[in-house]
Amino acid sequence: MRERGDRDNTAPREQRRPGGRPHAPTLSPADLLLLERDREQALLSAVIGELGAGRPALVTVTGEPGAGQNELLRWAARHAAERDISVLTARATPAEQDLRYGVVGQLLAGHPAFTDHLPHLFLDQGRPGRFPGLTRLLGAARERPTLLVVEDVHRLDSDSLRWLEALARRLPHAPLALLTSSIRTADIGPDWCAGSPLTGSATTVELALPGLTRTGTGTAVRAVCGTVGDRSFVDAVVAATGGNPTVVGDTLRRFTRAGHTPDGDHVHHVRVIAAEVTGEHAASALGALRHPVVLDVLRALAVCGDLLDFPLVVALAGSAAVPETRLRAALLDSGLLTVSDGRFRVSGPVVRDRIIEEMPAVERADLHARAAELAHRAAADDQGIGDLLLRARPVGAAWAVDTLRRAAGAALRGGHRDRAVAYLSRALDEPLSPRTRVRVQLQLAATELVIAPVAAGRRIHGIMREPGEEYAAHRSRAADLCLLGGDTDTAWRALAECLADGGPEDSGQAPSEPGAALEAAARHEELTALLRVAQPLRRTPAEIAVPPAPEPPRAPLAPAVSGVRAWETAVRGTDREEARRLARAALAPHPAGRPQLTVPRLLACRTLLLTEDVDDAETHLCALLTEAHRERRSVAVARVLALRAQLHLGQGRPDLAARDLAAADLELPPDSRHPLSYPYWTALGVVTDLANGRTDQARAAAERPVPPPAEESVSGAHLLFARGLLAEADDDPHRAAALFRVCGRWLLQYGCTNPALLPWRSRAAEAAHALGDAAQALKPAREELELAERWGAPGAIGVAQLSLAMMSGEDRVQRLRSAVEHLGRAPDRAAYTRAVVALASAESGGQPERVTAAASPAYGTAGISFAGSHDVTARHSPVPAPTPAGARSAALPPVWPSLSHGERAAAVLAARGMANREIAAELSVTTRTVELRLSSVYRKLRIRGRDDLRVLAPGTEDD
């Protein structure tokens, strides 16, 4: 054999084809196990060299199973034999662990001095202090240096272990080296030197073999697969195998036999194969376990080893009678465990799953149940106990349900909704009281709304149709949750069935307490109010009879009725004061402290937006948001954030609206929304993008397909309005006019007459005016002004006056002054500023175009309600209107159309002599935003500052 001391003897060998072109390097299985073992081979070569010079040595090689420690010992044995050193080899096996001196017999059988006398050495060895053949072996070693190689010493029988320990104590007296291997880690390996005087007269070495590095794994890939592997492929092999040389080799050979190539397209395949190989190795090790107690403890460790301390694991396995030291040694001998920070851990999830899968199903479920109960008594982590309960049989104890619900809450806090659903679904397998069961079902449905909205709708429908007083008390909350999720069809059907069957009083028993009758009546009112919210607002075939929702009572017992009545009053636009009063009543705390429904309170907040009580609306929205966060209801959080985004749009703050929409997307991802809610979210996103100047992004969102049932709804009409705004931005008045008119027909069909919802009439009028049809332009504009004055909100009146002023030459200045006066009392300061600019332009003799007057990112508070006739969901949510990108004023200098609306407003106010801080307060933006806008104005207009700005904009200064 060649000398392989310090040379890189593990490099792949190059084979050449005829003509000198090399094949891909090849490695035998043995060479693969010696990859990246150059340091260890050099050290063993030095030890063997010193042994030839008479210096004894003791070398222990440890590593995980498959690390190649035995192959390294065999290499050393071959290397020593080439140097004329006597080599004796043995290997401990599980079959010989009960055989006295089994390994000693293997060692001595290879020495010529014991050939004829070996059987007699092991007779009469019961007396203490006798070690068969040890003295003769030491004598023979003095004549010729001897190397003893013992593989897998962790499986030694007790007599052979004592014999080797005695040999280690005598090493200084003979040119003899002992080389052993073990799968134990270095810090818990056998202490051969304990109590011996080996202090410089013998070499002692401990080698812990690591796994392959990325470079070594890449070499193995090239050798086995015949080509260089992609970086992603090599990284996947390292991650899937842990760099274990045996697993790497077996995985790559099986991967190559399957005909795959080591590239990024086959990363999944190599991961699957690596898992199969690891599982087969684990199964083989399990099959080698002979002691049932060790197997029980190993199973217990696989189930809860990361959750409980080792003594508790032993107690769970029922192995307390076996000494812990023996258990530890036997477990380490299995090769299925690792030791980290003094704790036993199963070697990876694949091995853990294989150990558990080997158990019969009944025993597996029982072990998990007992482990969960022990972990509960030990006050372990809730999610850890929940994971045990997921695979356990029902335990029939109240602590299990409480733990699973707490684990679901912890999972939701961590953003793991799928785990929360699993915990709550498992809780329903336990025997529960009706009250607890309906609460768990509601909690589960609220979580499923985010990841499986259709399944959640079916679950909620089942809750609402379940008989019994406990379920009757929660039907309104279930319907409220269904409406928040956007499934108005399911909510309407379930509510209609409940009311047709008698409502919540269908338990068949008379109320047992004095207040029970009032409580039942209040619940019935809530169901009736929610039915009006969920009433389908799309065309129904004539053959399907749809009974109308009952009228709500004038003196309701439930605040939810006030919220619905407030919204119905607002969408009709008939009595602003009554709508405000009802909305505030709906948002007042319940006298008895009873939790209130969310949908009616959201409708009340929308009503306050229409009445332009924006501060009150924002306060209540913040309270609703805090409540939804506290209860971990992601759908409610998303809905509140969406309504607050609309509020920001109404105040001319599109950047804050975009922030809230982004937060809503995190709570309720777009792919998880119910199909019926698509128009709501799409329209809101389009308007926000337009208001922030992201026209391309708005266009892409508007072009996405919408399910047909969702299009035939109020929110579908508002999506038409948003698309009309986009058509205006694209300078397409024909398409814009058609979209606005269709939008108006849908809104009128659903009873939405209040122009504060959506100013579709003024937008259609402006589109007609741009096309040169003055008659078609003035009629809807005047109608909108009449309806706005009937409603009485200053913002709606101001927008209507501004729009009419842009199309009618008569009384233009008076109308603009009226618009300025009304918008000055509205929350949207940006709309007020635009009116001021238009008035200044008209008074200086200019003729402002239509878009200057009415265009705004949000049309003020009056146009920002973004809700339809009743619902807060996919069917009933209007959209605020953004400013078209091409808006410009003819009264301003010719170069000014290159400015955006925000830049133009800042420039006009700066030309009037206002300071940056005053401009920021007027436009509801930050001072930094004003600075950036003015810098952009100076750059675009090629001027140096405010003095040049005043020259370019005469007539804008204060008189």
Side-chain angles (χ1 to χ4, degrees):
M1 187 174 181
R2 296 178 300 171
E3 174 65 38
R4 306 208 282 181
D6 298 329
R7 234 168 1 102
D8 183 6
N9 55 349
T10 62
R13 298 184 293 272
E14 297 281 350
Q15 298 180 356
R16 294 190 173 274
R17 300 176 181 173
R21 187 176 180 183
H23 284 284
T26 59
L27 283 177
S28 66
D31 288 337
L32 185 59
L33 292 175
L34 294 177
L35 267 178
E36 297 188 317
R37 301 293 183 238
D38 302 335
R39 184 183 67 87
E40 291 82 0
Q41 288 176 324
L43 191 147
L44 291 177
S45 180
V47 167
I48 292 171
E50 291 181 355
L51 179 61
R55 183 177 180 85
L58 175 62
V59 181
T60 58
V61 182
T62 61
E64 298 299 324
Q69 52 266 53
N70 289 342
E71 188 59 38
L72 188 61
L73 264 60
R74 293 165 194 163
W75 175 88
R78 296 192 297 269
H79 189 60
E82 291 178 354
R83 294 196 172 190
D84 198 27
I85 293 176
S86 178
V87 179
L88 303 179
T89 62
R91 183 179 185 182
T93 62
E96 294 184 351
Q97 281 187 298
D98 298 329
L99 178 64
R100 296 188 64 194
Y101 298 112
V103 168
V104 175
Q106 294 182 49
L107 286 172
L108 300 182
H111 200 288
F114 299 95
T115 303
D116 299 328
H117 307 285
L118 188 60
H120 303 285
L121 292 175
F122 299 100
L123 298 176
D124 193 23
Q125 295 299 327
R127 290 177 295 174
R130 298 296 301 275
F131 300 101
L134 181 56
T135 303
R136 181 179 298 183
L137 176 64
L138 293 172
R142 294 186 184 96
E143 299 175 0
R144 182 184 178 188
T146 304
L147 175 67
L148 275 65
V149 178
V150 183
E151 300 177 10
D152 299 334
V153 293
H154 55 280
R155 291 173 176 162
L156 282 173
D157 62 275
S158 57
D159 294 292
S160 294
L161 177 61
R162 288 194 299 271
W163 192 93
L164 289 177
E165 289 173 346
L167 173 65
R169 290 192 294 270
R170 292 166 173 78
L171 279 180
H173 307 293
L176 189 146
L178 176 60
L179 178 58
T180 65
S181 69
S182 173
I183 65 170
R184 299 180 181 181
T185 56
D187 58 333
I188 58 172
D191 192 358
W192 301 107
C193 304
S196 75
L198 298 180
T199 58
S201 57
T203 302
T204 59
V205 179
E206 294 182 359
L207 294 176
L209 301 183
L212 292 178
T213 65
R214 187 188 180 283
T215 301
T217 305
T219 302
V221 170
R222 184 184 180 199
V224 177
C225 299
T227 184
V228 177
D230 289 353
R231 178 180 294 272
S232 61
F233 180 84
V234 175
D235 290 340
V237 174
V238 173
T241 63
N244 186 290
T246 302
V247 179
V248 169
D250 292 348
T251 299
L252 292 177
R253 283 188 285 271
R254 189 174 299 184
F255 178 83
T256 304
R257 287 196 298 269
H260 302 312
T261 55
D263 51 37
D265 294 335
H266 293 88
V267 167
H268 174 71
H269 296 84
V270 79
R271 286 174 179 163
V272 172
I273 293 174
E276 293 175 354
V277 171
T278 303
E280 291 173 2
H281 288 194
S284 176
L286 282 172
L289 287 177
R290 307 170 64 86
H291 204 301
V293 174
V294 177
L295 183 59
D296 290 341
V297 176
L298 186 63
R299 289 172 172 174
L301 278 170
V303 169
C304 59
D306 294 335
L307 198 63
L308 300 178
D309 294 333
F310 187 72
L312 292 177
V313 173
V314 173
L316 175 65
S319 308
V322 180
E324 186 174 317
T325 54
R326 289 186 58 188
L327 278 177
R328 289 178 177 270
L331 289 169
L332 289 169
D333 292 349
S334 70
L336 297 171
L337 300 178
T338 60
V339 179
S340 176
D341 300 329
R343 292 179 64 94
F344 285 108
R345 288 183 172 85
V346 177
S347 302
V350 175
V351 177
R352 179 183 294 108
D353 292 342
R354 182 55 64 97
I355 293 173
I356 296 175
E357 289 168 0
E358 293 290 329
M359 300 176 62
V362 176
E363 294 182 13
R364 182 166 60 243
D366 180 71
L367 178 59
H368 279 86
R370 292 188 291 109
E373 185 175 359
L374 183 59
H376 167 68
R377 294 205 303 266
D381 175 68
D382 286 332
Q383 291 193 71
I385 303 174
D387 291 337
L388 293 175
L389 289 171
L390 288 179
R391 308 180 73 171
R393 56 169 171 76
V395 298
W399 65 262
V401 178
D402 296 337
T403 301
L404 287 166
R405 295 183 70 179
R406 290 196 302 270
L412 288 175
R413 287 192 295 273
H416 305 294
R417 298 184 180 92
D418 51 345
R419 291 185 65 184
V421 168
Y423 293 142
L424 294 172
S425 299
R426 171 62 182 82
L428 294 176
D429 294 337
E430 296 289 333
L432 303 173
S433 65
R435 174 178 297 181
T436 303
R437 180 170 293 278
V438 67
R439 289 177 177 175
V440 174
Q441 287 177 324
L442 282 173
Q443 188 179 0
L444 176 57
T447 308
E448 284 181 328
L449 280 172
V450 183
I451 61 177
V454 177
R458 290 195 294 266
R459 186 178 301 277
I460 291 173
H461 188 272
I463 294 173
M464 296 180 65
R465 295 301 300 141
E466 190 74 21
E469 179 62 26
E470 294 296 341
Y471 281 88
H474 291 84
R475 283 177 183 146
S476 59
R477 302 198 65 82
D480 183 69
L481 187 62
C482 194
L483 289 173
L484 281 174
D487 191 358
T488 52
D489 277 353
T490 297
W492 171 73
R493 287 196 299 269
L495 285 165
E497 292 171 2
C498 287
L499 293 173
D501 293 343
E505 299 86 359
D506 60 352
S507 59
Q509 298 179 357
S512 57
E513 298 180 4
L518 290 178
E519 180 68 19
R523 293 200 300 263
H524 189 273
E525 287 183 1
E526 289 179 341
L527 292 174
T528 303
L530 292 177
L531 179 60
R532 295 186 68 83
V533 173
Q535 185 76 49
L537 296 180
R538 54 192 175 99
R539 292 189 179 92
T540 305
E543 62 272 13
I544 299 179
V546 181
E551 286 290 332
R554 290 296 174 181
L557 298 172
V561 177
S562 297
V564 174
R565 285 186 56 207
W567 183 245
E568 292 178 343
T569 302
V571 296
R572 290 193 299 266
T574 54
D575 193 337
R576 180 168 165 239
E577 291 301 325
E578 176 68 6
R580 177 186 288 124
R581 183 190 67 79
L582 290 170
R584 288 173 175 169
L587 293 168
H590 195 281
R594 183 172 178 266
Q596 299 187 49
L597 303 180
T598 302
V599 168
R601 286 184 288 168
L602 282 177
L603 291 175
C605 289
R606 292 177 186 272
T607 301
L608 292 178
L609 291 183
L610 293 183
T611 61
E612 300 183 5
D613 298 293
V614 179
D615 291 340
D616 288 349
E618 188 168 12
T619 299
H620 289 294
L621 284 176
C622 290
L624 282 172
L625 188 62
T626 301
E627 175 187 305
H629 275 300
R630 184 177 62 249
E631 297 178 358
R632 302 291 171 189
R633 293 188 298 159
S634 296
V635 175
V637 171
R639 289 291 184 175
V640 176
L641 286 171
L643 184 53
R644 198 170 70 174
Q646 299 163 207
L647 182 148
H648 292 320
L649 287 171
Q651 294 181 312
R653 297 182 290 183
D655 52 338
L656 297 183
R659 184 195 63 182
D660 276 351
L661 279 186
D665 287 343
L666 293 177
E667 293 289 341
L668 185 63
D671 294 340
S672 301
R673 293 165 184 163
H674 195 278
L676 289 176
S677 68
Y678 285 177
Y680 173 85
W681 294 102
T682 302
L684 183 56
V686 168
V687 170
T688 304
D689 288 336
L690 282 173
N692 283 285
R694 297 191 290 264
T695 308
D696 292 339
Q697 188 171 330
R699 186 178 297 107
E703 291 174 354
R704 296 191 188 105
V706 177
E711 284 186 338
E712 300 178 358
S713 63
V714 171
S715 63
H718 302 158
L719 180 56
L720 291 172
F721 186 86
R723 288 171 175 168
L725 297 176
L726 187 60
E728 277 192 350
D730 292 336
D731 198 18
D732 186 355
H734 287 281
R735 175 173 169 78
L739 288 169
F740 290 135
R741 285 195 296 267
V742 174
C743 166
R745 285 197 294 270
W746 279 97
L747 291 176
L748 291 176
Q749 178 183 348
Y750 301 140
C752 302
T753 57
N754 193 342
L757 289 172
L758 282 180
W760 63 268
R761 297 174 182 86
S762 60
R763 304 305 293 191
E766 292 168 8
H769 181 68
L771 293 172
D773 191 344
Q776 288 295 327
L778 290 175
K779 181 179 178 181
R782 289 169 178 165
E783 181 181 354
E784 179 168 313
L785 178 58
E786 179 182 350
L787 293 172
E789 290 175 342
R790 186 181 70 174
W791 174 240
I797 296 173
V799 168
Q801 289 279 24
L802 196 57
S803 175
L804 189 58
M806 297 304 101
M807 293 174 287
S808 174
E810 58 185 28
D811 300 331
R812 171 177 287 116
V813 175
Q814 288 78 3
R815 291 190 183 280
L816 287 174
R817 287 174 179 170
S818 175
V820 169
E821 190 273 332
H822 283 90
L823 290 173
R825 294 183 284 115
D828 189 357
R829 306 311 300 168
Y832 169 71
T833 301
R834 284 187 294 274
V836 169
V837 172
L839 177 60
S841 176
E843 289 178 338
S844 64
Q847 298 293 326
E849 293 183 0
R850 60 176 180 87
V851 187
T852 304
S856 92
Y859 276 112
T861 306
I864 192 52
S865 67
F866 200 44
S869 116
H870 302 309
D871 199 2
V872 296
T873 60
R875 296 179 175 228
H876 315 283
S877 303
V879 185
T883 304
R888 52 187 176 270
S889 173
L892 296 175
V895 293
W896 280 47
S898 63
L899 304 180
S900 68
H901 291 293
E903 293 168 348
R904 194 178 308 163
V908 170
L909 296 178
R912 293 171 64 93
M914 297 178 66
N916 287 354
R917 183 175 299 178
E918 296 173 332
I919 297 174
E922 192 71 20
L923 298 182
S924 299
V925 297
T926 63
T927 305
R928 179 59 178 165
T929 301
V930 174
E931 294 172 355
L932 293 175
R933 288 180 180 178
L934 290 179
S935 297
S936 179
V937 168
Y938 301 153
R939 185 178 64 256
K940 291 181 178 179
L941 302 185
R942 300 180 181 180
I943 60 177
R944 292 174 295 180
R946 290 176 179 254
D947 292 337
D948 294 341
L949 191 62
R950 293 189 183 97
V951 173
L952 287 176
T956 60
E957 297 181 359
D958 292 329
D959 295 333

